[in-house]
Amino acid sequence: MRIWYDPAIITYDDLLARFFEEHDPTQRSKCQYKSAVWVHSPEQRASVERAVAALEQKFKVKVATTVDGEQPWYDAEDYHQDYLGKMVGARWGF
């Protein structure tokens, strides 16, 4: 999922908090999905690393989420688009 955000509305740290609340960042996946944050600046990398360290300390578990540098973006196949809109009884409030 690619996200554009307005820092005047939500901080990067608050966005990260929501990201880590909405999935299990300790789940190691061997399939096509992985937990990752692609950062666009050294400041973003530092924020993610702080968030990961805090989670590891709080839950005493290794976080599987990777912190990667910016990469070219490729949209998923059409059947993957509008995932939240297609979910029946979605728990997110989007």
Side-chain angles (χ1 to χ4, degrees):
M1 178 184 317
R2 187 176 201 179
I3 298 173
W4 288 269
Y5 78 102
D6 183 344
I9 296 172
I10 186 170
T11 68
Y12 190 72
D13 288 340
D14 287 342
L15 193 62
L16 285 174
R18 182 67 186 250
F19 169 74
F20 285 117
E21 287 170 0
E22 293 298 331
H23 79 292
D24 180 358
T26 65
Q27 182 67 38
R28 295 196 184 281
S29 179
K30 293 181 181 178
C31 62
Q32 67 193 37
Y33 304 107
K34 77 174 197 172
S35 176
V37 177
W38 285 268
V39 297
H40 300 272
S41 71
E43 294 81 12
Q44 286 183 348
R45 180 176 294 279
S47 290
V48 177
E49 289 171 351
R50 278 193 307 273
V52 166
L55 287 169
E56 289 178 341
Q57 183 176 10
K58 179 178 180 179
F59 295 110
K60 308 293 188 230
V61 65
K62 179 76 173 149
V63 169
T65 302
T66 62
V67 184
D68 302 321
E70 185 176 5
Q71 299 290 319
W73 178 261
Y74 303 97
D75 285 336
E77 295 85 358
D78 285 342
Y79 63 90
H80 287 296
Q81 301 301 321
D82 193 28
Y83 175 76
L84 292 177
K86 293 174 185 174
M87 287 182 59
V88 176
R91 69 183 188 105
W92 296 285
F94 298 127

PDB file of all heavy atoms in Angstrom, residues 38-61:
ATOM      1  N   TRP A  38       9.012   1.818   3.452  1.00  0.00           N
ATOM      2  CA  TRP A  38       9.993   2.379   2.529  1.00  0.00           C
ATOM      3  C   TRP A  38      10.125   3.863   2.851  1.00  0.00           C
ATOM      4  O   TRP A  38       9.167   4.619   2.721  1.00  0.00           O
ATOM      5  CB  TRP A  38       9.550   2.170   1.081  1.00  0.00           C
ATOM      6  CG  TRP A  38       9.729   0.752   0.653  1.00  0.00           C
ATOM      7  CD1 TRP A  38      10.836   0.226   0.044  1.00  0.00           C
ATOM      8  CD2 TRP A  38       8.802  -0.324   0.789  1.00  0.00           C
ATOM      9  NE1 TRP A  38      10.657  -1.110  -0.188  1.00  0.00           N
ATOM     10  CE2 TRP A  38       9.412  -1.479   0.257  1.00  0.00           C
ATOM     11  CE3 TRP A  38       7.526  -0.440   1.333  1.00  0.00           C
ATOM     12  CZ2 TRP A  38       8.792  -2.720   0.236  1.00  0.00           C
ATOM     13  CZ3 TRP A  38       6.910  -1.670   1.306  1.00  0.00           C
ATOM     14  CH2 TRP A  38       7.534  -2.790   0.761  1.00  0.00           C
ATOM     15  N   VAL A  39      11.303   4.243   3.295  1.00  0.00           N
ATOM     16  CA  VAL A  39      11.520   5.611   3.747  1.00  0.00           C
ATOM     17  C   VAL A  39      12.093   6.469   2.632  1.00  0.00           C
ATOM     18  O   VAL A  39      12.716   5.971   1.698  1.00  0.00           O
ATOM     19  CB  VAL A  39      12.439   5.650   4.980  1.00  0.00           C
ATOM     20  CG1 VAL A  39      11.787   4.932   6.150  1.00  0.00           C
ATOM     21  CG2 VAL A  39      13.801   5.052   4.683  1.00  0.00           C
ATOM     22  N   HIS A  40      11.847   7.770   2.760  1.00  0.00           N
ATOM     23  CA  HIS A  40      12.282   8.725   1.744  1.00  0.00           C
ATOM     24  C   HIS A  40      13.292   9.736   2.275  1.00  0.00           C
ATOM     25  O   HIS A  40      13.674  10.645   1.560  1.00  0.00           O
ATOM     26  CB  HIS A  40      11.061   9.453   1.169  1.00  0.00           C
ATOM     27  CG  HIS A  40      10.087   8.519   0.522  1.00  0.00           C
ATOM     28  ND1 HIS A  40      10.171   8.155  -0.791  1.00  0.00           N
ATOM     29  CD2 HIS A  40       9.026   7.853   1.031  1.00  0.00           C
ATOM     30  CE1 HIS A  40       9.200   7.306  -1.078  1.00  0.00           C
ATOM     31  NE2 HIS A  40       8.496   7.108   0.017  1.00  0.00           N
ATOM     32  N   SER A  41      13.695   9.568   3.542  1.00  0.00           N
ATOM     33  CA  SER A  41      14.661  10.509   4.116  1.00  0.00           C
ATOM     34  C   SER A  41      15.303   9.873   5.346  1.00  0.00           C
ATOM     35  O   SER A  41      14.738   8.938   5.941  1.00  0.00           O
ATOM     36  CB  SER A  41      13.972  11.813   4.525  1.00  0.00           C
ATOM     37  OG  SER A  41      13.146  11.600   5.654  1.00  0.00           O
ATOM     38  N   PRO A  42      16.454  10.390   5.753  1.00  0.00           N
ATOM     39  CA  PRO A  42      17.077   9.901   6.986  1.00  0.00           C
ATOM     40  C   PRO A  42      16.190  10.132   8.216  1.00  0.00           C
ATOM     41  O   PRO A  42      16.177   9.318   9.144  1.00  0.00           O
ATOM     42  CB  PRO A  42      18.368  10.714   7.086  1.00  0.00           C
ATOM     43  CG  PRO A  42      18.673  11.145   5.683  1.00  0.00           C
ATOM     44  CD  PRO A  42      17.325  11.330   5.030  1.00  0.00           C
ATOM     45  N   GLU A  43      15.421  11.223   8.208  1.00  0.00           N
ATOM     46  CA  GLU A  43      14.515  11.504   9.328  1.00  0.00           C
ATOM     47  C   GLU A  43      13.423  10.435   9.427  1.00  0.00           C
ATOM     48  O   GLU A  43      13.072  10.006  10.527  1.00  0.00           O
ATOM     49  CB  GLU A  43      13.893  12.895   9.181  1.00  0.00           C
ATOM     50  CG  GLU A  43      14.895  14.032   9.284  1.00  0.00           C
ATOM     51  CD  GLU A  43      15.666  14.306   7.981  1.00  0.00           C
ATOM     52  OE1 GLU A  43      15.289  13.787   6.916  1.00  0.00           O
ATOM     53  OE2 GLU A  43      16.674  15.030   8.059  1.00  0.00           O
ATOM     54  N   GLN A  44      12.869  10.031   8.277  1.00  0.00           N
ATOM     55  CA  GLN A  44      11.856   8.972   8.294  1.00  0.00           C
ATOM     56  C   GLN A  44      12.465   7.662   8.785  1.00  0.00           C
ATOM     57  O   GLN A  44      11.854   6.950   9.582  1.00  0.00           O
ATOM     58  CB  GLN A  44      11.240   8.790   6.911  1.00  0.00           C
ATOM     59  CG  GLN A  44      10.284   9.882   6.517  1.00  0.00           C
ATOM     60  CD  GLN A  44       9.634   9.628   5.170  1.00  0.00           C
ATOM     61  OE1 GLN A  44      10.040   8.752   4.399  1.00  0.00           O
ATOM     62  NE2 GLN A  44       8.611  10.411   4.868  1.00  0.00           N
ATOM     63  N   ARG A  45      13.673   7.333   8.324  1.00  0.00           N
ATOM     64  CA  ARG A  45      14.327   6.100   8.774  1.00  0.00           C
ATOM     65  C   ARG A  45      14.503   6.120  10.299  1.00  0.00           C
ATOM     66  O   ARG A  45      14.202   5.132  10.975  1.00  0.00           O
ATOM     67  CB  ARG A  45      15.670   5.915   8.089  1.00  0.00           C
ATOM     68  CG  ARG A  45      16.397   4.638   8.536  1.00  0.00           C
ATOM     69  CD  ARG A  45      17.677   4.411   7.779  1.00  0.00           C
ATOM     70  NE  ARG A  45      17.448   4.152   6.374  1.00  0.00           N
ATOM     71  CZ  ARG A  45      17.083   2.978   5.843  1.00  0.00           C
ATOM     72  NH1 ARG A  45      16.901   1.945   6.641  1.00  0.00           N
ATOM     73  NH2 ARG A  45      16.898   2.846   4.556  1.00  0.00           N
ATOM     74  N   ALA A  46      14.947   7.236  10.838  1.00  0.00           N
ATOM     75  CA  ALA A  46      15.137   7.348  12.284  1.00  0.00           C
ATOM     76  C   ALA A  46      13.812   7.174  13.025  1.00  0.00           C
ATOM     77  O   ALA A  46      13.751   6.511  14.070  1.00  0.00           O
ATOM     78  CB  ALA A  46      15.783   8.680  12.631  1.00  0.00           C
ATOM     79  N   SER A  47      12.729   7.741  12.498  1.00  0.00           N
ATOM     80  CA  SER A  47      11.410   7.605  13.124  1.00  0.00           C
ATOM     81  C   SER A  47      10.955   6.158  13.146  1.00  0.00           C
ATOM     82  O   SER A  47      10.447   5.668  14.163  1.00  0.00           O
ATOM     83  CB  SER A  47      10.370   8.451  12.383  1.00  0.00           C
ATOM     84  OG  SER A  47      10.594   9.819  12.593  1.00  0.00           O
ATOM     85  N   VAL A  48      11.129   5.456  12.028  1.00  0.00           N
ATOM     86  CA  VAL A  48      10.724   4.047  11.964  1.00  0.00           C
ATOM     87  C   VAL A  48      11.573   3.216  12.922  1.00  0.00           C
ATOM     88  O   VAL A  48      11.048   2.369  13.653  1.00  0.00           O
ATOM     89  CB  VAL A  48      10.826   3.494  10.531  1.00  0.00           C
ATOM     90  CG1 VAL A  48      10.462   2.010  10.498  1.00  0.00           C
ATOM     91  CG2 VAL A  48       9.939   4.268   9.578  1.00  0.00           C
ATOM     92  N   GLU A  49      12.860   3.458  12.937  1.00  0.00           N
ATOM     93  CA  GLU A  49      13.742   2.694  13.822  1.00  0.00           C
ATOM     94  C   GLU A  49      13.391   2.928  15.289  1.00  0.00           C
ATOM     95  O   GLU A  49      13.426   1.993  16.097  1.00  0.00           O
ATOM     96  CB  GLU A  49      15.195   3.028  13.521  1.00  0.00           C
ATOM     97  CG  GLU A  49      15.647   2.457  12.181  1.00  0.00           C
ATOM     98  CD  GLU A  49      17.017   2.925  11.723  1.00  0.00           C
ATOM     99  OE1 GLU A  49      17.591   3.854  12.352  1.00  0.00           O
ATOM    100  OE2 GLU A  49      17.514   2.365  10.726  1.00  0.00           O
ATOM    101  N   ARG A  50      13.013   4.157  15.649  1.00  0.00           N
ATOM    102  CA  ARG A  50      12.575   4.434  17.028  1.00  0.00           C
ATOM    103  C   ARG A  50      11.282   3.680  17.349  1.00  0.00           C
ATOM    104  O   ARG A  50      11.138   3.100  18.421  1.00  0.00           O
ATOM    105  CB  ARG A  50      12.358   5.935  17.242  1.00  0.00           C
ATOM    106  CG  ARG A  50      13.611   6.720  17.530  1.00  0.00           C
ATOM    107  CD  ARG A  50      13.301   8.128  18.032  1.00  0.00           C
ATOM    108  NE  ARG A  50      12.404   8.883  17.169  1.00  0.00           N
ATOM    109  CZ  ARG A  50      12.801   9.613  16.121  1.00  0.00           C
ATOM    110  NH1 ARG A  50      14.081   9.683  15.804  1.00  0.00           N
ATOM    111  NH2 ARG A  50      11.920  10.273  15.395  1.00  0.00           N
ATOM    112  N   ALA A  51      10.347   3.678  16.399  1.00  0.00           N
ATOM    113  CA  ALA A  51       9.068   2.991  16.611  1.00  0.00           C
ATOM    114  C   ALA A  51       9.281   1.488  16.765  1.00  0.00           C
ATOM    115  O   ALA A  51       8.677   0.849  17.640  1.00  0.00           O
ATOM    116  CB  ALA A  51       8.114   3.286  15.449  1.00  0.00           C
ATOM    117  N   VAL A  52      10.131   0.919  15.930  1.00  0.00           N
ATOM    118  CA  VAL A  52      10.420  -0.516  16.005  1.00  0.00           C
ATOM    119  C   VAL A  52      11.087  -0.848  17.347  1.00  0.00           C
ATOM    120  O   VAL A  52      10.709  -1.813  18.018  1.00  0.00           O
ATOM    121  CB  VAL A  52      11.293  -0.961  14.815  1.00  0.00           C
ATOM    122  CG1 VAL A  52      11.883  -2.350  15.044  1.00  0.00           C
ATOM    123  CG2 VAL A  52      10.483  -0.933  13.518  1.00  0.00           C
ATOM    124  N   ALA A  53      12.056  -0.055  17.755  1.00  0.00           N
ATOM    125  CA  ALA A  53      12.746  -0.287  19.028  1.00  0.00           C
ATOM    126  C   ALA A  53      11.762  -0.224  20.199  1.00  0.00           C
ATOM    127  O   ALA A  53      11.833  -1.038  21.132  1.00  0.00           O
ATOM    128  CB  ALA A  53      13.868   0.719  19.212  1.00  0.00           C
ATOM    129  N   ALA A  54      10.844   0.732  20.154  1.00  0.00           N
ATOM    130  CA  ALA A  54       9.852   0.861  21.225  1.00  0.00           C
ATOM    131  C   ALA A  54       8.940  -0.359  21.281  1.00  0.00           C
ATOM    132  O   ALA A  54       8.624  -0.862  22.364  1.00  0.00           O
ATOM    133  CB  ALA A  54       9.033   2.139  21.034  1.00  0.00           C
ATOM    134  N   LEU A  55       8.521  -0.861  20.122  1.00  0.00           N
ATOM    135  CA  LEU A  55       7.668  -2.056  20.085  1.00  0.00           C
ATOM    136  C   LEU A  55       8.419  -3.274  20.605  1.00  0.00           C
ATOM    137  O   LEU A  55       7.867  -4.077  21.363  1.00  0.00           O
ATOM    138  CB  LEU A  55       7.185  -2.327  18.655  1.00  0.00           C
ATOM    139  CG  LEU A  55       6.121  -1.393  18.120  1.00  0.00           C
ATOM    140  CD1 LEU A  55       5.933  -1.614  16.623  1.00  0.00           C
ATOM    141  CD2 LEU A  55       4.813  -1.600  18.854  1.00  0.00           C
ATOM    142  N   GLU A  56       9.669  -3.426  20.194  1.00  0.00           N
ATOM    143  CA  GLU A  56      10.459  -4.570  20.645  1.00  0.00           C
ATOM    144  C   GLU A  56      10.668  -4.538  22.152  1.00  0.00           C
ATOM    145  O   GLU A  56      10.603  -5.569  22.820  1.00  0.00           O
ATOM    146  CB  GLU A  56      11.793  -4.614  19.902  1.00  0.00           C
ATOM    147  CG  GLU A  56      11.643  -5.004  18.456  1.00  0.00           C
ATOM    148  CD  GLU A  56      12.936  -5.023  17.673  1.00  0.00           C
ATOM    149  OE1 GLU A  56      13.931  -4.402  18.111  1.00  0.00           O
ATOM    150  OE2 GLU A  56      12.950  -5.663  16.600  1.00  0.00           O
ATOM    151  N   GLN A  57      10.892  -3.349  22.695  1.00  0.00           N
ATOM    152  CA  GLN A  57      11.082  -3.216  24.141  1.00  0.00           C
ATOM    153  C   GLN A  57       9.777  -3.489  24.880  1.00  0.00           C
ATOM    154  O   GLN A  57       9.761  -4.204  25.885  1.00  0.00           O
ATOM    155  CB  GLN A  57      11.607  -1.837  24.479  1.00  0.00           C
ATOM    156  CG  GLN A  57      11.887  -1.663  25.957  1.00  0.00           C
ATOM    157  CD  GLN A  57      12.501  -0.302  26.274  1.00  0.00           C
ATOM    158  OE1 GLN A  57      12.565   0.583  25.437  1.00  0.00           O
ATOM    159  NE2 GLN A  57      12.947  -0.146  27.503  1.00  0.00           N
ATOM    160  N   LYS A  58       8.681  -2.953  24.362  1.00  0.00           N
ATOM    161  CA  LYS A  58       7.389  -3.097  25.033  1.00  0.00           C
ATOM    162  C   LYS A  58       6.913  -4.548  25.050  1.00  0.00           C
ATOM    163  O   LYS A  58       6.444  -5.046  26.072  1.00  0.00           O
ATOM    164  CB  LYS A  58       6.343  -2.223  24.335  1.00  0.00           C
ATOM    165  CG  LYS A  58       4.958  -2.308  24.933  1.00  0.00           C
ATOM    166  CD  LYS A  58       3.994  -1.376  24.234  1.00  0.00           C
ATOM    167  CE  LYS A  58       2.599  -1.477  24.848  1.00  0.00           C
ATOM    168  NZ  LYS A  58       1.658  -0.566  24.190  1.00  0.00           N
ATOM    169  N   PHE A  59       7.027  -5.238  23.903  1.00  0.00           N
ATOM    170  CA  PHE A  59       6.476  -6.584  23.781  1.00  0.00           C
ATOM    171  C   PHE A  59       7.516  -7.692  23.906  1.00  0.00           C
ATOM    172  O   PHE A  59       7.175  -8.871  23.836  1.00  0.00           O
ATOM    173  CB  PHE A  59       5.713  -6.712  22.468  1.00  0.00           C
ATOM    174  CG  PHE A  59       4.499  -5.826  22.411  1.00  0.00           C
ATOM    175  CD1 PHE A  59       4.473  -4.734  21.571  1.00  0.00           C
ATOM    176  CD2 PHE A  59       3.398  -6.080  23.216  1.00  0.00           C
ATOM    177  CE1 PHE A  59       3.360  -3.892  21.517  1.00  0.00           C
ATOM    178  CE2 PHE A  59       2.283  -5.255  23.170  1.00  0.00           C
ATOM    179  CZ  PHE A  59       2.265  -4.159  22.321  1.00  0.00           C
ATOM    180  N   LYS A  60       8.789  -7.316  24.040  1.00  0.00           N
ATOM    181  CA  LYS A  60       9.871  -8.301  24.194  1.00  0.00           C
ATOM    182  C   LYS A  60       9.874  -9.321  23.054  1.00  0.00           C
ATOM    183  O   LYS A  60       9.991 -10.528  23.266  1.00  0.00           O
ATOM    184  CB  LYS A  60       9.760  -9.037  25.533  1.00  0.00           C
ATOM    185  CG  LYS A  60       9.652  -8.136  26.732  1.00  0.00           C
ATOM    186  CD  LYS A  60      10.928  -7.365  26.959  1.00  0.00           C
ATOM    187  CE  LYS A  60      10.856  -6.610  28.286  1.00  0.00           C
ATOM    188  NZ  LYS A  60      11.205  -5.227  28.189  1.00  0.00           N
ATOM    189  N   VAL A  61       9.730  -8.804  21.843  1.00  0.00           N
ATOM    190  CA  VAL A  61       9.697  -9.654  20.658  1.00  0.00           C
ATOM    191  C   VAL A  61      10.376  -8.921  19.509  1.00  0.00           C
ATOM    192  O   VAL A  61      10.374  -7.691  19.465  1.00  0.00           O
ATOM    193  CB  VAL A  61       8.236 -10.032  20.296  1.00  0.00           C
ATOM    194  CG1 VAL A  61       7.437  -8.823  19.890  1.00  0.00           C
ATOM    195  CG2 VAL A  61       8.186 -11.115  19.245  1.00  0.00           C
TER     196      VAL A  61
END
